Each structure stands twice: as structure tokens, then as C-alpha cells.
Amino acid sequence: MAIDTFTWCVRADASGTTNVATLQAQFGDGYKQVASAGINTAAETWSLTCNGKVAAMKEVQDFLLSHVITSFWWVNPWGEKKLYRVKADSVSPAFPNGGFAEISFVFEQAFAP
């Protein structure tokens, strides 16, 4: 099965976060024990925006909505090609003027197709 690639340009103001999953135990003397929680402990989330003509942004929206449960390749701002999925309920189009559209969305890192 071939995996799709997100190839559209996103605005330069992309912002990301990395959540590291850990298991922690805090003891009464102030000591804290920390361990990793699984094999893929660090997962990225990217808040992104695309804008352009309505017809082009309709293609972007169609891609986004078809990849909420299916992963795809995307090269993040660090230049790393990784698997992502679109966060459910994150696709938000806006139409600031005639013929122009802007779509905001969130990518969550995926670890398997």
C-alpha cells in the first residue's frame, strides 16, 4: 500500500510541540523517578495554515479530511520526513475575501500507517 504525501506549502508561521510520554513516581523525600512510557515516547504536533485560491484550498481540505485516520508523509519545518495524521476536528477553513481561502489544521505524528 502506497502512503500519500502532503506536498502543499504551509505558511511560514508554523508552530509545533513535542509531547514526551513518561511514567513518574514522586516520593515523600522529594525524589522523583522518571521512565519512558513505550517505544515511541516523543510525538510531535504541528499547527499549520495554508492559503490560496478557493479551488486549490478545496484540494487541500479534501486531502486533510481523508487523512484523519490514514497516515501520510510530510516534511516538517526541521526538514524531517515523518508520518502524520490530521487531528480530528482541527480543519478550519476561512474565507477572508472573494476567491481566497485559508485553512488551519493540526498534524499529529503517527508511528504506523
Side-chain angles (χ1 to χ4, degrees):
M1 174 176 129
I3 298 176
D4 293 335
T5 301
F6 185 86
T7 57
W8 290 273
C9 292
V10 296
R11 289 186 29 189
D13 61 350
S15 65
T17 59
T18 302
N19 181 31
V20 179
T22 61
L23 301 170
Q24 300 182 23
Q26 179 75 45
F27 298 94
D29 62 357
Y31 175 76
K32 182 189 279 189
Q33 189 173 25
V34 181
S36 64
I39 58 172
N40 296 311
T41 58
E44 299 175 358
T45 303
W46 291 94
S47 297
L48 305 164
T49 304
C50 283
N51 56 22
K53 294 185 179 182
V54 170
M57 293 304 99
K58 175 67 172 129
E59 290 180 27
V60 173
Q61 178 175 282
D62 291 346
F63 180 93
L64 296 171
L65 295 177
S66 68
H67 288 84
V68 172
I69 60 172
T70 304
S71 60
F72 57 90
W73 293 109
W74 178 61
V75 178
N76 66 26
W78 295 111
E80 303 165 322
K81 184 178 180 180
K82 296 182 180 181
L83 285 173
Y84 294 89
R85 288 189 187 93
V86 178
K87 183 178 180 183
D89 300 327
S90 73
V91 179
S92 179
F95 300 90
N97 60 42
F100 188 80
E102 182 173 275
I103 302 176
S104 299
F105 49 92
V106 175
F107 286 171
E108 296 178 315
Q109 189 174 0
F111 295 98

